Amino acid sequence: MPTKTAPNPVEKTYALPPPHLSSKTLHIAGILTTVFGLDELAPNTRETACLWLLHPRLQTQACMQPFAACTIADWNERIREGRAGSSQPAKGLIAVSFDQRNHGTREVDGLANEAWRAGNPRHALDMFSQIHGTAADTSILLDYLAAYIFPERDGVKVSQNMVFGVSLGGHAAWQVLLREPRMTTGIIGIGCPDYKSLMMDRARLSKLADWDSSDPSSFLGSKSFPRTLVAAVDKHDPAGLIMGQLERTINDSYVHELSENEEEKVSRVLDHTLRNKRILLLSGAADKLVPYRCGQSFLNFLKRAISTYYKHGGLVLEDLVFDGVGHEISPNMLKELIRFVDESLGAHVQDSGSISGELRTSSKI
């Protein structure tokens, strides 16, 4: 389990320092919010996209600066070289980061950020409520960002929003995509879409007193994972919300054939949450903290929906698992992040191969 002295997953990403990037810190809705890339916008910019950056557990917003620098530098170079798509003037790109709840400038109780093994008996509840809170904070900041950064530039607007989260931020990015219609693109870095599965696996490894290997499902509703938390997860978590529409349970290794009623119910939820959105998943095959297998049943379910009864929904999902990579963002993951951001902004990127409704699943080295 990570501790406050553990190596920062973000710091492992870069062999060289990221390029310089301007930043401005604003007080928005009681949250110290850092906006990157404003000074780099061209004077004739009429619209800009925003990449929202959500940091890992036990870290702060500062660790997301390198991601802002690399994605914005790449996009601005495309603009200078005329490779940023057909719009004139080209759409700009900025990025935003902020401390998640109970982190950095917002820390209230340090123990609440720790896991079971570090002595926090409310780990499951504390972490999920923070994830939910971060998704809510992102929506609040979305409401007011443009007024703070463009108060005197009439006609300039934030026309596109994307979110990139790492670990805890990756869990939160899933919820941002579900709840926020203005967020059209999500990049999930070493995050999980199935909170129950992740916490059950962590409870098993932590050897909690209320974990029963002979009856794993009994953990849900225990003191470590109260029934009220189960209800919240079913309402806000991707797997809880979407697979909760089914009339029957799903075995870990087999997804049953859905009835027409089940397909209709799932389709309605997908229409409301993920229709026409673009999602890139970046996972490490050797990740022990957030194992890919914990979200695999849900991802298989979602992929099947996209390729069959929800093929019309325009949902793009790329699921990339990187061999030999643990709980970190590797250099190859960074390349995929930049590529996906460029594509989402309208640039043609060679060998991307993603179109509406298409699935891309592969193992990467």
Side-chain angles (χ1 to χ4, degrees):
M1 304 298 288
T3 66
K4 289 187 177 179
T5 59
N8 184 345
V10 177
E11 292 175 349
K12 297 181 181 179
T13 302
Y14 301 97
L16 296 173
H20 172 74
L21 182 69
S22 67
S23 64
K24 183 176 183 180
T25 300
L26 302 168
H27 175 277
I28 305 177
I31 302 172
L32 290 177
T33 307
T34 302
V35 185
F36 299 101
L38 286 174
D39 292 349
E40 287 77 9
L41 291 175
N44 63 342
T45 299
R46 306 311 299 165
E47 60 178 318
T48 182
C50 182
L51 178 63
W52 296 80
L53 303 169
L54 308 180
H55 66 76
R57 183 166 62 94
L58 300 175
Q59 301 295 336
T60 70
Q61 63 163 308
C63 74
M64 302 304 286
Q65 188 274 347
F67 296 114
C70 290
T71 51
I72 291 175
D74 181 84
W75 181 247
N76 287 343
E77 183 179 356
R78 285 183 175 275
I79 292 176
R80 288 192 296 271
E81 296 177 354
R83 297 182 293 118
S86 58
S87 61
Q88 294 294 331
K91 183 186 298 183
L93 176 63
I94 60 174
V96 169
S97 66
F98 59 93
D99 288 333
Q100 295 192 48
R101 297 191 181 195
N102 201 42
H103 284 74
T105 57
R106 307 173 72 185
E107 183 174 310
V108 176
D109 179 0
L111 182 61
N113 293 333
E114 301 287 353
W116 286 307
R117 284 182 174 177
N120 179 16
R122 294 189 297 271
H123 172 48
L125 183 58
D126 285 337
M127 189 161 77
F128 193 79
S129 59
Q130 289 175 13
I131 292 168
H132 186 193
T134 293
D137 288 342
T138 303
S139 290
I140 292 170
L141 293 174
L142 261 165
D143 287 339
Y144 298 102
L145 178 69
Y148 276 87
I149 62 177
F150 300 131
E152 299 177 354
R153 296 180 67 174
D154 293 339
V156 180
K157 62 180 180 178
V158 178
S159 61
Q160 184 177 357
N161 289 282
M162 302 172 284
V163 61
F164 170 56
V166 179
S167 193
L168 176 70
H171 309 329
W174 268 112
Q175 286 202 25
V176 171
L177 283 170
L178 289 179
R179 67 172 283 141
E180 182 49 69
R182 292 169 292 183
M183 197 68 66
T184 57
T185 299
I187 303 99
I188 316 296
I190 51 178
C192 183
D194 190 339
Y195 193 74
K196 290 179 185 176
S197 176
L198 177 63
M199 289 295 100
M200 290 173 69
D201 185 67
R202 194 167 295 182
R204 175 183 62 83
L205 294 173
S206 300
K207 299 180 180 179
L208 294 187
D210 47 11
W211 171 261
D212 183 356
S213 59
S214 65
D215 184 16
S217 62
S218 66
F219 176 71
L220 302 177
S222 68
K223 184 177 180 180
S224 297
F225 206 107
R227 293 194 180 279
T228 48
L229 176 57
V230 174
V233 171
D234 287 343
K235 184 177 180 181
H236 302 291
D237 183 62
L241 174 64
I242 296 172
M243 294 171 73
Q245 305 303 311
L246 304 182
E247 299 162 356
R248 291 169 287 169
T249 59
I250 296 179
N251 183 280
D252 286 341
S253 61
Y254 174 74
V255 178
H256 68 260
E257 290 293 327
L258 303 191
S259 66
E260 289 187 11
N261 185 51
E262 286 177 314
E263 290 183 355
E264 290 175 1
K265 290 171 68 176
V266 171
S267 294
R268 283 197 296 269
V269 172
L270 291 175
D271 276 341
H272 184 66
T273 57
L274 297 178
R275 187 179 181 86
N276 293 325
K277 295 191 177 185
R278 293 170 47 82
I279 305 174
L280 171 64
L281 308 179
L282 304 173
S283 304
D287 190 342
K288 295 181 180 179
L289 183 62
V290 182
Y292 176 77
R293 57 180 164 73
C294 288
Q296 197 165 10
S297 289
F298 169 73
L299 293 176
N300 288 341
F301 175 83
L302 186 59
K303 291 172 187 178
R304 184 174 182 276
I306 294 172
S307 63
T308 55
Y309 61 90
Y310 198 68
K311 195 172 184 178
H312 64 281
L315 174 58
V316 171
L317 177 66
E318 294 192 24
D319 183 13
L320 305 183
V321 181
F322 293 75
D323 293 339
V325 175
H327 195 66
E328 60 185 290
I329 299 298
S330 70
N332 285 335
M333 286 177 169
L334 175 62
K335 292 178 183 178
E336 295 291 349
L337 163 67
I338 294 172
R339 187 265 308 169
F340 201 74
V341 168
D342 287 342
E343 288 181 354
S344 299
L345 290 170
H348 174 71
V349 182
Q350 189 174 7
D351 297 329
S352 63
S354 287
I355 59 173
S356 179
E358 180 179 346
L359 292 169
R360 180 183 176 207
T361 303
S362 66
S363 179
K364 296 253 178 190
I365 298 176

